[in-house]
Each structure stands twice: as C-alpha cells, then as structure tokens.
Amino acid sequence: MRESHQAIPKSTAVTRAPAVKSLLTLSGSHLLNRILDEERPAALIRRLPEEDFYWIVKRIGEADCLQILRLASEAQWEYLFDLEVWEKDRLDGDRLLSWLARVGEADPERAAAWLLGQGDGLFSLLISEKADVVVKDGDEEADLEGGYFTLDGRFFIRPIRDEDREAVEGLLRILAKKDHRAYQALLYGLAALIPAEAEEELYRLRNGRLAEHGFLPYEEALAVYS
C-alpha cells in the first residue's frame, strides 16, 4: 500500500465501533456492496471518523471509490487529500489532480463549492503548476498558439501536459458552471500567486489538521524515531 502522506501517528491505537471493524474485514467489492446495501449509506459513511473513512476508501480502491466519495462529507474529502497528495513537504500535483478529478466526477456540485471556498488555495496552486493561463480583456484578440481552450472568451487555458487536459478542463468547467464570477476571480488571482509561499502555507495548515488526528509532521517524526 502506498504511504504517501509522510506523516507518522503519535499512537497507532485506534478504537473502532464493532460495526466499523466488521466493515474493514471485507474485501473491496464486498465492502462497497455492504455499504450501498444500507438503508441510509450516506449517514453510515458520514458518521465514520475520518480515519476509518480513509481506510475504507483504500480498501475499496481508487478506481472503484466514486460512490463512496459521493456519500462522504467535505471534511472526509479533505482528510483524504491531506494523506494522499503530499510527498513529505511537497505537494504531489499528479496525485492531487487525480483525486480532485474523482471528487469532481462523484459530486460536481459539492466539489465545485469546496474548490471555490475552502479548497481554493489548493486548487490555485494546482492550476499554476498544471496549466498556462492567459487573460484577454476587452476586444483584445486571442492570438495564441494551439492547445488553448476557453470557457468564456476571457481566460485561455493550456494544460502543460496533454494527459492532464481532460482532468484540468473538467474541473474548470464545473467551477465555471457553479459560479462563473468566482471562477474568474480564482483565475485572476493566479497572477499574484507565489507558488513556494502558497505551498508552505498549505503544508502548515495540513499539518495542523493532521495534528488533531494524532499525526506528527514528517520532520518532527524523523527526529523522534531517530
């Protein structure tokens, strides 16, 4: 299993309700079917601690977890991102794009609201890494090379890698559909973004959230275990 989060828990002791222990003994497909067979599967998932939700997603597998992501809360999504999309103190853009694309497919409405709100800093840093964004104001002609797309005739976006195009464009489309002004504000804000500072601040916030779950930051954990 890929240990991507690079954070180490202060204690490995986890107290789980018997029902959760029973769920986590099931294999991926059986676990998914067991949850979906519940009368209120969303209520079951959302009352789980974030730690148990994470392990259920990992047991089901990234390729098959869309229905579980649809049932989850935004706090559970964020915990999943905190563990999955960081490599030590660096954001793993490929992992983040993959997970955001899954969440966007699972629940476009809520995903867009989260990305335009609490997750805007994370998404802005991702777009600054994954795409070139050109702003054309007024009657300025869009004389650009091939590969750019636009949703409004003002912002022209070209993913740096062809393999990222579908995911990048898909996420931007759900944001523009949700709130076009907020979508434009986010893209305007990229001009003032300083990636190194933004990443450092996101890492600090992420460590603060994980500390509430008993995790030590990577550097502190190394000092303790050395």
Side-chain angles (χ1 to χ4, degrees):
M1 182 175 294
R2 182 178 184 274
E3 294 294 338
S4 62
H5 48 79
Q6 300 298 332
I8 299 177
K10 296 176 183 176
S11 171
T12 56
V14 178
T15 302
R16 295 191 175 99
V20 176
K21 289 182 179 180
S22 176
L23 286 176
L24 290 173
T25 64
L26 300 174
S27 64
S29 60
H30 289 93
L31 174 56
L32 178 60
N33 290 334
R34 169 70 176 77
I35 292 170
L36 296 180
D37 285 343
E38 285 284 315
E39 183 177 351
R40 298 175 61 200
L44 170 65
I45 290 297
R46 294 192 184 193
R47 69 171 177 258
L48 293 176
E50 283 88 351
E51 297 90 341
D52 289 329
F53 166 76
Y54 173 77
W55 288 115
I56 282 175
V57 170
K58 298 300 284 184
R59 182 66 61 88
I60 290 171
E62 297 177 13
D64 300 315
C65 69
L66 288 183
Q67 294 179 85
I68 298 301
L69 293 176
R70 185 178 301 118
L71 299 173
S73 68
E74 288 86 342
Q76 289 170 325
W77 289 349
E78 187 169 54
Y79 182 79
L80 178 66
F81 299 153
D82 283 342
L83 293 185
E84 283 293 299
V85 306
W86 291 89
E87 188 66 35
K88 298 182 181 178
D89 61 346
R90 300 300 303 274
L91 190 67
D92 186 331
D94 292 340
R95 294 286 293 170
L96 177 57
L97 182 60
S98 294
W99 278 110
L100 288 180
R102 291 187 188 100
V103 168
E105 183 178 352
D107 194 328
E109 182 78 10
R110 281 199 300 136
W114 189 82
L115 289 172
L116 291 171
Q118 188 173 350
D120 64 341
L122 197 63
F123 190 64
S124 293
L125 185 59
L126 176 70
I127 293 299
S128 74
E129 174 189 330
K130 290 293 185 182
D132 292 323
V133 179
V134 177
V135 185
K136 297 290 185 180
D137 287 319
D139 297 327
E140 186 179 359
E141 293 186 5
D143 184 17
L144 298 171
E145 302 174 4
Y148 284 87
F149 68 88
T150 181
L151 305 181
D152 55 9
R154 174 167 293 182
F155 293 93
F156 292 79
I157 302 104
R158 181 180 65 183
I160 293 172
R161 302 189 311 184
D162 288 341
E163 57 263 39
D164 294 334
R165 173 174 290 272
E166 182 178 357
V168 168
E169 184 171 351
L171 287 168
L172 289 172
R173 285 189 180 279
I174 68 171
L175 265 60
K177 182 178 180 181
K178 174 68 175 177
D179 187 332
H180 197 79
R181 288 190 177 183
Y183 159 80
Q184 290 186 325
L186 185 148
L187 293 182
Y188 269 128
L190 294 178
L193 183 72
I194 302 175
E197 292 183 3
E199 185 176 50
E200 183 177 353
E201 177 62 10
L202 288 169
Y203 182 62
R204 184 188 68 80
L205 294 172
R206 175 257 192 182
N207 284 345
R209 290 190 297 268
L210 287 183
E212 296 177 1
H213 293 273
F215 286 87
L216 292 172
Y218 179 73
E219 298 83 357
E220 186 178 344
L222 284 181
V224 169
Y225 285 99
S226 65

